[in-house]
Structure formats: structure tokens, C-alpha cells
Amino acid sequence: ARPAVANASMNADGWLTTSGAVPLEDVVFAATQAVQGGLLELAKHLGGRMTESQRRDAIRSYLGEARGTLERLLMLVRWALGSHAHTSGLSGALAASLERQDAMRRAADDLFHLHRTMPLGVVPQHDVLAAVDILSSGTFSQLPRALRAPVPEEAA
């Protein structure tokens, strides 16, 4: 099997090796795109009918995967800084990665808050029969006929 990457070969351990270095910006971009893609899939998945525990489990699963990906990315960035690898534009890419991570965390929190508050946003059912009665006859005939007797005024 030929490697899919140009200038790549398999070493004795079965690892893909390249003759050139992969820009760190590309790795950061790929990792953040993978985490964002997972967030979009989570949003689609949460749109279906699920119980509260299933939603919670799906969110936890996504957060675990995203955290693992971003932790591996952080370790790679720290290693790259420590080994004096090619770091042009690294600070911008790292800042963008951290902003994306914060944005994804806020999006996950907003999704959870949205699904918790969604039942509160239901429009109340309208009393169509009473509305038709009032509009057609000008009166509300559904009131009970025997209300409490009016309180007589005391003679002064």
C-alpha cells in the first residue's frame, strides 16, 4: 500500500514518516476542524428525540473526545516549542486554537442551556372555542350561570 502523503514512507514499525516537516499551523487547523466537526455532529445528534441522560452522555462523550484531541495538540505545541521546531506563526495559531476551544466550550454550554430551557419556550394552547364564541356572538357564553350572589350594599 502506498502512503497518501507525498514524500512519505513507512518505517520498520509501521509509522508513516515524511522527508519534510509538517507545518504546525496545519496540525492546529486540522485538530480544530476535527473538534468543530464533532460539535456540528453533536448538534445534529441532540436535535433528535433523546432522554435527558442520553443527551448528557452524548455531550460528555463529545467533550471527552474534544478534550483529548486538544490536549494532544497542546502537548505537540509544547514539544515543538521545547525542541525549537519551526515556530513561525505559532503564537497566532495557538491563540486562534485557544479561542476556538473557548468558543466550542461556550457552544457546548449554550447547547446544554438551550435544551434545558426549551420546554419553557412552548407557546400556551389557545382557547379557540372561546375566541370563536366571543367573535361571533359578542358574549362569552361559557361562564357558569350561577356565580356567587353579589354582596348587598348596607343601607346607610
Side-chain angles (χ1 to χ4, degrees):
R2 294 178 52 175
V5 179
N7 299 328
S9 62
M10 295 293 241
N11 66 11
D13 296 327
W15 290 92
L16 186 66
T17 60
T18 60
S19 59
V22 176
L24 189 58
E25 294 87 4
D26 293 348
V27 176
V28 170
F29 181 76
T32 55
Q33 287 297 317
V35 172
Q36 182 185 14
L39 182 61
L40 294 174
E41 287 298 317
L42 175 67
K44 288 179 189 174
H45 188 66
L46 290 178
R49 294 182 181 220
M50 300 174 76
T51 64
E52 182 73 23
S53 63
Q54 289 172 331
R55 287 179 192 266
R56 203 174 303 124
D57 291 342
I59 291 171
R60 278 190 193 128
S61 173
Y62 163 74
L63 290 176
E65 291 173 12
R67 183 181 181 116
T69 300
L70 295 173
E71 283 176 348
R72 286 190 301 274
L73 177 64
L74 180 61
M75 287 189 302
L76 176 68
V77 169
R78 286 182 180 163
W79 172 83
L81 287 174
S83 67
H84 304 291
H86 178 67
T87 59
S88 76
L90 177 63
S91 61
L94 184 57
S97 173
L98 293 174
E99 286 177 10
R100 285 188 188 116
Q101 182 182 6
D102 289 341
M104 286 185 278
R105 184 178 292 129
R106 283 192 304 272
D109 290 343
D110 290 345
L111 275 172
F112 181 74
H113 178 70
L114 176 68
H115 108 277
R116 289 289 296 232
T117 58
M118 200 171 284
L120 302 175
V122 176
V123 176
Q125 292 184 351
H126 298 288
D127 191 359
V128 177
L129 294 176
V132 169
D133 189 21
I134 292 171
L135 290 174
S136 63
S137 66
T139 61
F140 186 59
S141 62
Q142 295 178 11
L143 281 176
R145 300 225 184 265
L147 293 177
R148 288 191 329 188
V151 178
E153 295 182 14
E154 296 181 6

